[in-house]
Amino acid sequence: MDTSMVRGIARESVGWSIALSVLLIVTGLFALSAPLLAGVAVTAVVGWLIVLGGFLHLWLAFHVRGTGAHLWEVLVGLAYLFAGIFILMHPLAGLVGLTIVLAVYLLMKGLFELALWSKMRAMPGSGLVVVDAVLSVLLSGMIWWHLPSTATWAVGLLVGIGILFSGISRLMLSLAAKRAIA
C-alpha cells in the first residue's frame, strides 16, 4: 500500500469518526433534555439483554453434560426470561430497579474509594480520590433519599452525560487526527 492510499483511508475514517462524534453529542444532548425517556430507553435495552441471556441459558441447558445441570440451566433461563419480560412490560418499575442498582453502585464505589484514599493519602493527587469518593456517596444518598422520584432523571441524566462527553472527547481526537493527516 502506498502512502497516498493510506492517507485516503485515514481521511475517510476521520470523516466517519467526526460524524459519529456529532451523533453522540446530539444523542447526549437529547438524553439530557429528556432524561425520563432516556432512562426508559436504557431500561428497554437492559430488558432485551436479559431476555437474550434467558434464551442463551435455555440453549445451554440442552448442551451441558450432567443430569442436574440441565434442570438448573432451564430454571436460570426461565428466571432471566421472566425478569426481562417483566422489565419490558413494566419499564417504569424496571427504571426504578435500575436506579436502585445505580445508587448501590455509587455507594459501594464511594466507600471503596475512601478505603483506597486511606491507604494512599500521603501521595500527590490523592485529594481527587477523596473528592470523587465523597461526591459518589453524596450522589448515592441523594438518589436513595428521593426514591422513587429520582428514577425519572438519574439513569437518563447520567447516561446522557456519559454519551455527551464521549462524543466531545471523540470529536476532539478526530479533529486532532484530521489536522495530523492534513
Side-chain angles (χ1 to χ4, degrees):
M1 240 193 254
D2 64 357
T3 307
S4 64
M5 185 180 230
V6 171
R7 282 194 183 279
I9 293 171
R11 277 192 198 97
E12 186 176 325
S13 297
V14 166
W16 280 107
S17 185
I18 290 172
L20 175 62
S21 302
V22 171
L23 183 62
L24 285 171
I25 291 169
V26 169
T27 303
L29 290 172
F30 175 74
L32 290 175
S33 67
L36 177 59
L37 186 60
V40 170
V42 168
T43 302
V45 169
V46 169
W48 281 111
L49 289 173
I50 293 171
V51 167
L52 175 64
F55 283 122
L56 291 174
H57 274 284
L58 291 175
W59 176 81
L60 184 63
F62 296 103
H63 293 85
V64 292
R65 303 286 183 235
T67 56
H70 295 292
L71 176 63
W72 289 112
E73 283 297 333
V74 167
L75 292 175
V76 169
L78 291 175
Y80 269 62
L81 283 175
F82 174 77
I85 291 169
F86 179 85
I87 288 171
L88 291 171
M89 292 179 67
H90 306 284
L92 293 179
L95 183 56
V96 171
L98 281 178
T99 304
I100 291 169
V101 169
L102 175 65
V104 169
Y105 161 74
L106 288 170
L107 178 64
M108 298 306 296
K109 173 186 173 289
L111 294 176
F112 288 146
E113 284 178 336
L114 281 173
L116 173 66
W117 172 77
S118 73
K119 297 291 184 191
M120 61 179 281
R121 64 179 154 217
M123 297 177 69
S126 65
L128 291 175
V129 173
V130 76
V131 168
D132 186 23
V134 169
L135 289 175
S136 294
V137 170
L138 288 175
L139 184 57
S140 173
M142 186 174 75
I143 291 170
W144 276 107
W145 186 263
H146 297 286
L147 267 172
S149 66
T150 50
T152 61
W153 61 265
V155 172
L157 182 74
L158 294 176
V159 166
I161 289 170
I163 292 171
L164 176 65
F165 280 96
S166 179
I168 291 170
S169 64
R170 176 176 291 277
L171 180 61
M172 294 299 111
L173 288 170
S174 299
L175 292 175
K178 185 176 181 177
R179 284 190 297 274
I181 61 172

